[in-house]
mmCIF file with all atom_site columns, all heavy atoms in Angstrom:
data_model
loop_
_atom_site.group_PDB
_atom_site.id
_atom_site.type_symbol
_atom_site.label_atom_id
_atom_site.label_alt_id
_atom_site.label_comp_id
_atom_site.label_asym_id
_atom_site.label_entity_id
_atom_site.label_seq_id
_atom_site.pdbx_PDB_ins_code
_atom_site.Cartn_x
_atom_site.Cartn_y
_atom_site.Cartn_z
_atom_site.occupancy
_atom_site.B_iso_or_equiv
_atom_site.pdbx_formal_charge
_atom_site.auth_seq_id
_atom_site.auth_comp_id
_atom_site.auth_asym_id
_atom_site.auth_atom_id
_atom_site.pdbx_PDB_model_num
ATOM 1  N N   . SER A 1 419 ? 21.494 8.108  13.915 1.00 79.00 ? 419 SER A N   1
ATOM 2  C CA  . SER A 1 419 ? 20.978 8.170  15.281 1.00 79.00 ? 419 SER A CA  1
ATOM 3  C C   . SER A 1 419 ? 22.097 7.917  16.293 1.00 79.00 ? 419 SER A C   1
ATOM 4  O O   . SER A 1 419 ? 22.201 8.612  17.315 1.00 79.00 ? 419 SER A O   1
ATOM 5  C CB  . SER A 1 419 ? 19.859 7.139  15.459 1.00 79.00 ? 419 SER A CB  1
ATOM 6  O OG  . SER A 1 419 ? 19.351 7.166  16.771 1.00 79.00 ? 419 SER A OG  1
ATOM 7  N N   . ALA A 1 420 ? 22.946 6.929  16.008 1.00 76.00 ? 420 ALA A N   1
ATOM 8  C CA  . ALA A 1 420 ? 24.052 6.621  16.922 1.00 76.00 ? 420 ALA A CA  1
ATOM 9  C C   . ALA A 1 420 ? 25.067 7.751  16.983 1.00 76.00 ? 420 ALA A C   1
ATOM 10 O O   . ALA A 1 420 ? 25.720 7.955  18.014 1.00 76.00 ? 420 ALA A O   1
ATOM 11 C CB  . ALA A 1 420 ? 24.736 5.323  16.491 1.00 76.00 ? 420 ALA A CB  1
ATOM 12 N N   . GLN A 1 421 ? 25.212 8.521  15.891 1.00 77.00 ? 421 GLN A N   1
ATOM 13 C CA  . GLN A 1 421 ? 26.175 9.618  15.865 1.00 77.00 ? 421 GLN A CA  1
ATOM 14 C C   . GLN A 1 421 ? 25.574 10.930 16.351 1.00 77.00 ? 421 GLN A C   1
ATOM 15 O O   . GLN A 1 421 ? 26.227 11.963 16.344 1.00 77.00 ? 421 GLN A O   1
ATOM 16 C CB  . GLN A 1 421 ? 26.707 9.812  14.433 1.00 77.00 ? 421 GLN A CB  1
ATOM 17 C CG  . GLN A 1 421 ? 27.236 8.562  13.771 1.00 77.00 ? 421 GLN A CG  1
ATOM 18 C CD  . GLN A 1 421 ? 28.282 7.863  14.596 1.00 77.00 ? 421 GLN A CD  1
ATOM 19 O OE1 . GLN A 1 421 ? 29.216 8.485  15.083 1.00 77.00 ? 421 GLN A OE1 1
ATOM 20 N NE2 . GLN A 1 421 ? 28.138 6.545  14.770 1.00 77.00 ? 421 GLN A NE2 1
ATOM 21 N N   . GLY A 1 422 ? 24.269 10.902 16.732 1.00 80.00 ? 422 GLY A N   1
ATOM 22 C CA  . GLY A 1 422 ? 23.622 12.119 17.217 1.00 80.00 ? 422 GLY A CA  1
ATOM 23 C C   . GLY A 1 422 ? 23.145 13.043 16.120 1.00 80.00 ? 422 GLY A C   1
ATOM 24 O O   . GLY A 1 422 ? 22.863 14.222 16.377 1.00 80.00 ? 422 GLY A O   1
ATOM 25 N N   . ILE A 1 423 ? 23.041 12.546 14.890 1.00 84.00 ? 423 ILE A N   1
ATOM 26 C CA  . ILE A 1 423 ? 22.543 13.361 13.773 1.00 84.00 ? 423 ILE A CA  1
ATOM 27 C C   . ILE A 1 423 ? 21.032 13.197 13.696 1.00 84.00 ? 423 ILE A C   1
ATOM 28 O O   . ILE A 1 423 ? 20.524 12.073 13.597 1.00 84.00 ? 423 ILE A O   1
ATOM 29 C CB  . ILE A 1 423 ? 23.175 12.925 12.434 1.00 84.00 ? 423 ILE A CB  1
ATOM 30 C CG1 . ILE A 1 423 ? 24.690 12.915 12.527 1.00 84.00 ? 423 ILE A CG1 1
ATOM 31 C CG2 . ILE A 1 423 ? 22.726 13.842 11.311 1.00 84.00 ? 423 ILE A CG2 1
ATOM 32 C CD1 . ILE A 1 423 ? 25.360 12.322 11.297 1.00 84.00 ? 423 ILE A CD1 1
ATOM 33 N N   . GLY A 1 424 ? 20.298 14.286 13.748 1.00 89.00 ? 424 GLY A N   1
ATOM 34 C CA  . GLY A 1 424 ? 18.846 14.217 13.638 1.00 89.00 ? 424 GLY A CA  1
ATOM 35 C C   . GLY A 1 424 ? 18.410 14.245 12.180 1.00 89.00 ? 424 GLY A C   1
ATOM 36 O O   . GLY A 1 424 ? 18.739 15.176 11.445 1.00 89.00 ? 424 GLY A O   1
ATOM 37 N N   . VAL A 1 425 ? 17.673 13.206 11.758 1.00 92.00 ? 425 VAL A N   1
ATOM 38 C CA  . VAL A 1 425 ? 17.268 13.083 10.351 1.00 92.00 ? 425 VAL A CA  1
ATOM 39 C C   . VAL A 1 425 ? 15.757 12.857 10.264 1.00 92.00 ? 425 VAL A C   1
ATOM 40 O O   . VAL A 1 425 ? 15.202 12.046 11.009 1.00 92.00 ? 425 VAL A O   1
ATOM 41 C CB  . VAL A 1 425 ? 18.005 11.925 9.641  1.00 92.00 ? 425 VAL A CB  1
ATOM 42 C CG1 . VAL A 1 425 ? 17.668 11.909 8.152  1.00 92.00 ? 425 VAL A CG1 1
ATOM 43 C CG2 . VAL A 1 425 ? 19.504 12.041 9.850  1.00 92.00 ? 425 VAL A CG2 1
ATOM 44 N N   . VAL A 1 426 ? 15.125 13.583 9.351  1.00 94.00 ? 426 VAL A N   1
ATOM 45 C CA  . VAL A 1 426 ? 13.701 13.413 9.068  1.00 94.00 ? 426 VAL A CA  1
ATOM 46 C C   . VAL A 1 426 ? 13.565 12.650 7.763  1.00 94.00 ? 426 VAL A C   1
ATOM 47 O O   . VAL A 1 426 ? 14.258 12.952 6.784  1.00 94.00 ? 426 VAL A O   1
ATOM 48 C CB  . VAL A 1 426 ? 12.981 14.775 8.959  1.00 94.00 ? 426 VAL A CB  1
ATOM 49 C CG1 . VAL A 1 426 ? 11.506 14.576 8.611  1.00 94.00 ? 426 VAL A CG1 1
ATOM 50 C CG2 . VAL A 1 426 ? 13.111 15.554 10.255 1.00 94.00 ? 426 VAL A CG2 1
ATOM 51 N N   . ASN A 1 427 ? 12.675 11.669 7.745  1.00 93.00 ? 427 ASN A N   1
ATOM 52 C CA  . ASN A 1 427 ? 12.406 10.923 6.515  1.00 93.00 ? 427 ASN A CA  1
ATOM 53 C C   . ASN A 1 427 ? 11.492 11.769 5.626  1.00 93.00 ? 427 ASN A C   1
ATOM 54 O O   . ASN A 1 427 ? 10.297 11.869 5.860  1.00 93.00 ? 427 ASN A O   1
ATOM 55 C CB  . ASN A 1 427 ? 11.738 9.586  6.841  1.00 93.00 ? 427 ASN A CB  1
ATOM 56 C CG  . ASN A 1 427 ? 11.540 8.719  5.612  1.00 93.00 ? 427 ASN A CG  1
ATOM 57 O OD1 . ASN A 1 427 ? 11.799 9.151  4.489  1.00 93.00 ? 427 ASN A OD1 1
ATOM 58 N ND2 . ASN A 1 427 ? 11.084 7.503  5.815  1.00 93.00 ? 427 ASN A ND2 1
ATOM 59 N N   . GLY A 1 428 ? 12.081 12.383 4.600  1.00 92.00 ? 428 GLY A N   1
ATOM 60 C CA  . GLY A 1 428 ? 11.311 13.213 3.683  1.00 92.00 ? 428 GLY A CA  1
ATOM 61 C C   . GLY A 1 428 ? 10.830 12.461 2.460  1.00 92.00 ? 428 GLY A C   1
ATOM 62 O O   . GLY A 1 428 ? 10.391 13.078 1.492  1.00 92.00 ? 428 GLY A O   1
ATOM 63 N N   . GLY A 1 429 ? 10.893 11.127 2.516  1.00 90.00 ? 429 GLY A N   1
ATOM 64 C CA  . GLY A 1 429 ? 10.516 10.339 1.348  1.00 90.00 ? 429 GLY A CA  1
ATOM 65 C C   . GLY A 1 429 ? 9.026  10.161 1.176  1.00 90.00 ? 429 GLY A C   1
ATOM 66 O O   . GLY A 1 429 ? 8.575  9.741  0.111  1.00 90.00 ? 429 GLY A O   1
ATOM 67 N N   . TYR A 1 430 ? 8.249  10.471 2.206  1.00 90.00 ? 430 TYR A N   1
ATOM 68 C CA  . TYR A 1 430 ? 6.799  10.341 2.092  1.00 90.00 ? 430 TYR A CA  1
ATOM 69 C C   . TYR A 1 430 ? 6.212  11.590 1.436  1.00 90.00 ? 430 TYR A C   1
ATOM 70 O O   . TYR A 1 430 ? 6.828  12.666 1.431  1.00 90.00 ? 430 TYR A O   1
ATOM 71 C CB  . TYR A 1 430 ? 6.171  10.108 3.462  1.00 90.00 ? 430 TYR A CB  1
ATOM 72 C CG  . TYR A 1 430 ? 6.606  8.826  4.113  1.00 90.00 ? 430 TYR A CG  1
ATOM 73 C CD1 . TYR A 1 430 ? 7.333  8.834  5.303  1.00 90.00 ? 430 TYR A CD1 1
ATOM 74 C CD2 . TYR A 1 430 ? 6.310  7.589  3.541  1.00 90.00 ? 430 TYR A CD2 1
ATOM 75 C CE1 . TYR A 1 430 ? 7.740  7.658  5.903  1.00 90.00 ? 430 TYR A CE1 1
ATOM 76 C CE2 . TYR A 1 430 ? 6.719  6.411  4.131  1.00 90.00 ? 430 TYR A CE2 1
ATOM 77 C CZ  . TYR A 1 430 ? 7.433  6.449  5.315  1.00 90.00 ? 430 TYR A CZ  1
ATOM 78 O OH  . TYR A 1 430 ? 7.836  5.266  5.894  1.00 90.00 ? 430 TYR A OH  1
ATOM 79 N N   . THR A 1 431 ? 5.015  11.443 0.913  1.00 88.00 ? 431 THR A N   1
ATOM 80 C CA  . THR A 1 431 ? 4.378  12.531 0.169  1.00 88.00 ? 431 THR A CA  1
ATOM 81 C C   . THR A 1 431 ? 4.328  13.805 0.999  1.00 88.00 ? 431 THR A C   1
ATOM 82 O O   . THR A 1 431 ? 3.841  13.791 2.138  1.00 88.00 ? 431 THR A O   1
ATOM 83 C CB  . THR A 1 431 ? 2.951  12.118 -0.238 1.00 88.00 ? 431 THR A CB  1
ATOM 84 O OG1 . THR A 1 431 ? 3.005  10.858 -0.913 1.00 88.00 ? 431 THR A OG1 1
ATOM 85 C CG2 . THR A 1 431 ? 2.316  13.153 -1.144 1.00 88.00 ? 431 THR A CG2 1
ATOM 86 N N   . TYR A 1 432 ? 4.817  14.879 0.423  1.00 91.00 ? 432 TYR A N   1
ATOM 87 C CA  . TYR A 1 432 ? 4.804  16.253 0.969  1.00 91.00 ? 432 TYR A CA  1
ATOM 88 C C   . TYR A 1 432 ? 5.832  16.497 2.079  1.00 91.00 ? 432 TYR A C   1
ATOM 89 O O   . TYR A 1 432 ? 6.091  17.656 2.415  1.00 91.00 ? 432 TYR A O   1
ATOM 90 C CB  . TYR A 1 432 ? 3.421  16.648 1.518  1.00 91.00 ? 432 TYR A CB  1
ATOM 91 C CG  . TYR A 1 432 ? 2.269  16.372 0.600  1.00 91.00 ? 432 TYR A CG  1
ATOM 92 C CD1 . TYR A 1 432 ? 1.121  15.736 1.056  1.00 91.00 ? 432 TYR A CD1 1
ATOM 93 C CD2 . TYR A 1 432 ? 2.312  16.749 -0.750 1.00 91.00 ? 432 TYR A CD2 1
ATOM 94 C CE1 . TYR A 1 432 ? 0.048  15.481 0.209  1.00 91.00 ? 432 TYR A CE1 1
ATOM 95 C CE2 . TYR A 1 432 ? 1.250  16.490 -1.597 1.00 91.00 ? 432 TYR A CE2 1
ATOM 96 C CZ  . TYR A 1 432 ? 0.128  15.855 -1.111 1.00 91.00 ? 432 TYR A CZ  1
ATOM 97 O OH  . TYR A 1 432 ? -0.923 15.606 -1.954 1.00 91.00 ? 432 TYR A OH  1
#
Side-chain angles (χ1 to χ4, degrees):
S419 179
Q421 308 306 312
I423 307 173
V425 186
V426 178
N427 185 354
Y430 297 116
T431 308
Y432 311 132

